[in-house]
């Protein structure tokens, strides 16, 4: 069994530390400046490629880091002169959470390649190849190497025969490499060997294997995959590997060399990157919350660790932490209901949010998310297994699913239509317009912040972020009035910088004008009581809105962020009409009118965070 390693077949490595590594272990929150030294070093070590872009990095750069993801890519390209740069694309969803028209796909892929991408790894959450074909076509036309990925999962319908069928469809579309994407750490050594062996025999293309170490199977799976003929494997440097990340690169190099395979990666240099990333990981320790042991439960419920973390956060906001096991059990049932979709973005959020709703409301499918309706209708593609007719009826009513149509064929071209809107929102470049097309609310917020930062109205993002990290012993009022010789000034501490020998820089607003001052304490006293909490600018503090009492009081089913308000005061609405959209777990949740009547009051604005116990809109019920 296995190959004769005396032939010294070469096995290539792709490093994923600076994309999926930081996404798996540090919530993707690592800043570009901290990744550049690692990319520069990795570039000199002999990797086949470096995966540095795509996935969640695009959203997180804009939403949390206040960085332009396109600028990040260009900076990586500047320091990586020798090695291919790779990105992960969610099929027709690109780096977002819904399908985009073909013109957006074409423009995005072309710009990604223009800005430095050499390899496009594309997958679809449902393994519906129709959702991958446009990305493949665009990437090939742009001159990129294309990895067509199979999203690996376990279910009664996900057999090796099925995966071979998907691989044949991808090969027919012209991909250069077949990629196995094991996002939950479910790929066993046995299946890895059998699947890779058949792919090599029946498809004839190079095979790439990507696996998470969530369940601790991945390194064994890699060895058997290589034995069966796998050509490329994904790894992290040692300090960013294991847990919910990927196999340790240095260990894989050592083991494969011992078996006689030819490896071109410099193991000592890789270890030095790991040494550097030790300190990076310490810097971002507040995001480093993955358990230090394997999650063997994933072999039972097949729920990725990231989903569980999201559930814990959502349940805590609702005061329902004791419901976690109930939610996990419900995920298994909802996944079966929906035809066994692999739990990867966006289907992990679709399944997870619906399971959460079912548990929170004490009744299955009492509240149905917009994404579940779209999924059942076929707007995400064809489910892996048929959905029961009674559930389709419950969710869609008299509407019929459209599984025989490529979802993107229903979408009108978009770029030219939104160009003016994006420019008015603050877009300066074609790349900005694409950011707006994919994540309009998030991109607009970033553009607005960018303009304020340029004008000196907000502190640097890393300083702004540190405001919420003030240690308890340093807590004190952070907005107050000071009266000097009869003149009153409003003072707000907007951020605190790193301490230096000259003192600690404070960014303060004096009557709205941002100033940087250096503070050198002479005498200090500990503040040991009280709690510090910040109300983000533009939001209403928790508890400021009234609790729902009347039949026309509208509240959100979940904690989240308001992304769209569809009504105005004075509008006539019917029971069931969509009033606003609340985003939670990256899913859009429609909030419906509980009664017919007139919109009397709107107590929320777009961008504000809301809780289920707050009135967001008041409707004056229609007299019967």
């Amino acid at each position: 069994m296995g190959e004769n390693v005396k032939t010294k077949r070469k096995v290539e490595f792709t490093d994923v530390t600076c994309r999926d590594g930081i996404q798996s272990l540090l919530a993707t929150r690592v800043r570009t400046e901290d990744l550049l030294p690692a990319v520069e070093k990795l570039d000199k070590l002999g990797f086949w490629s470096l995966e540095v872009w795509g996935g969640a990095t695009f959203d997180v750069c804009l939403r949390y880091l206040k960085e332009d993801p396109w600028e990040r890519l260009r900076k990586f390209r500047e320091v990586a002169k020798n090695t291919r740069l790779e990105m992960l694309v969610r099929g027709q969803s690109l780096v977002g959470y819904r399908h985009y028209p073909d013109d957006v796909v074409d423009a995005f892929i072309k710009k990604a390649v223009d800005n430095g991408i050499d390899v496009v790894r594309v997958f679809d959450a449902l393994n519906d190849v129709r959702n991958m074909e446009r990305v493949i076509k665009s990437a090939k036309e742009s001159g990129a190497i294309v990895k067509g990925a199979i999203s690996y999962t376990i279910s009664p319908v996900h057999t090796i025969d099925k995966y071979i069928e998907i691989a044949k469809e991808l090969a027919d579309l012209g991909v250069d490499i077949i990629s196995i994407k094991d996002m939950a750490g479910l790929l066993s050594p046995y299946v890895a060997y059998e699947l890779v062996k058949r792919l090599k025999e029946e498809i004839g293309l190079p095979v790439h294997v990507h696996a998470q170490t969530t369940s601790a199977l991945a390194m064994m799976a890699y060895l058997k995959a290589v034995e069966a003929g796998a050509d490329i494997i994904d790894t992290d440097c040692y300090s960013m590997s294991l847990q919910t990340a990927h196999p340790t690169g240095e260990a894989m190099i050592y083991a494969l060399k011992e078996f006689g395979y030819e490896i071109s990666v410099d193991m000592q240099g890789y270890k030095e990157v790991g040494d550097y990333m030790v300190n990076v990981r310490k810097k971002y320790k507040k995001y480093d919350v993955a358990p230090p042991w394997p999650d063997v439960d994933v072999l039972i419920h097949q729920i990725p660790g990231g989903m569980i973390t999201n559930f814990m956060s959502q349940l805590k906001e609702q005061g329902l932490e004791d419901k976690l096991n109930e939610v996990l059990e419900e995920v298994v049932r909802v996944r079966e209901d929906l035809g066994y979709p692999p739990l990867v973005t966006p289907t992990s959020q679709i399944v997870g949010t619906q399971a959460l709703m079912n548990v929170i409301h004490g009744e299955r499918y009492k509240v149905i998310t917009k994404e579940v309706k779209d999924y059942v209708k076929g707007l995400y593609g064809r489910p892996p297994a048929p959905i029961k007719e009674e559930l389709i009826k419950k969710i869609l009513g008299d509407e019929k699913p459209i599984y025989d149509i490529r979802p993107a064929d229903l979408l009108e071209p978009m770029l030219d239509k939104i160009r003016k809107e994006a420019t008015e929102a603050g877009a300066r470049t074609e790349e900005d317009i694409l950011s707006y097309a994919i994540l309009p609310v998030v991109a607009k917020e970033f553009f607005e912040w960018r303009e304020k930062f340029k004008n000196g109205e907000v502190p640097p993002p890393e300083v702004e972020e540190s405001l919420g990290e003030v240690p308890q012993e340093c807590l004190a009022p952070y907005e107050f009035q000071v009266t000097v010789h009869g003149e009153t000034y409003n003072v707000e501490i907007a951020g605190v910088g790193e301490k230096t020998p000259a003192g600690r820089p404070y960014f303060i607003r004096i009557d709205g004008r941002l100033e940087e001052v250096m503070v050198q304490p002479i005498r200090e006293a500990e503040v040991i009581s009280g709690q510090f909490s910040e109300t983000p600018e533009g939001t209403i503090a928790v508890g400021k809105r009234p609790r729902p009492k009347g039949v026309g009081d509208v509240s959100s089913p979940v904690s989240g962020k308001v992304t769209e308000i569809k009504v105005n005061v004075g509008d006539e609405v019917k029971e069931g009409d969509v009033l606003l959209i609340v985003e939670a777990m990256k899913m859009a949740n429609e909030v419906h009118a509980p009664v017919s009547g007139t919109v009397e009051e709107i107590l929320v604005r777009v961008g504000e965070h809301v809780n289920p116990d707050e009135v967001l809109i008041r409707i004056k019920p229609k007299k019967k």
Side-chain angles (χ1 to χ4, degrees), residues 534-546 560 562 601-611 614-616:
E534 175 194 6
T535 301
E537 188 176 348
T539 67
I540 297 175
V542 173
K544 288 290 181 70
R545 298 187 192 93
V562 176
E601 194 174 3
I602 298 175
L603 303 174
V604 68
R605 291 174 295 182
V606 171
E608 292 182 350
H609 292 265
V610 298
N611 288 322
E614 300 171 348
V615 177
L616 309 182

Side-chain angles (χ1 to χ4, degrees), residues 4 18 71 83 90 99 175 208 240 308 312 321 361 419 448 467 542 597 611:
N4 180 2
C18 296
E71 182 63 22
T83 314
R90 300 164 180 158
H99 282 186
V175 302
H208 159 252
M240 290 297 296
I308 297 175
M312 292 170 68
E321 296 97 318
H361 293 280
R419 193 172 296 278
E448 291 170 349
L467 184 60
V542 173
N611 288 322

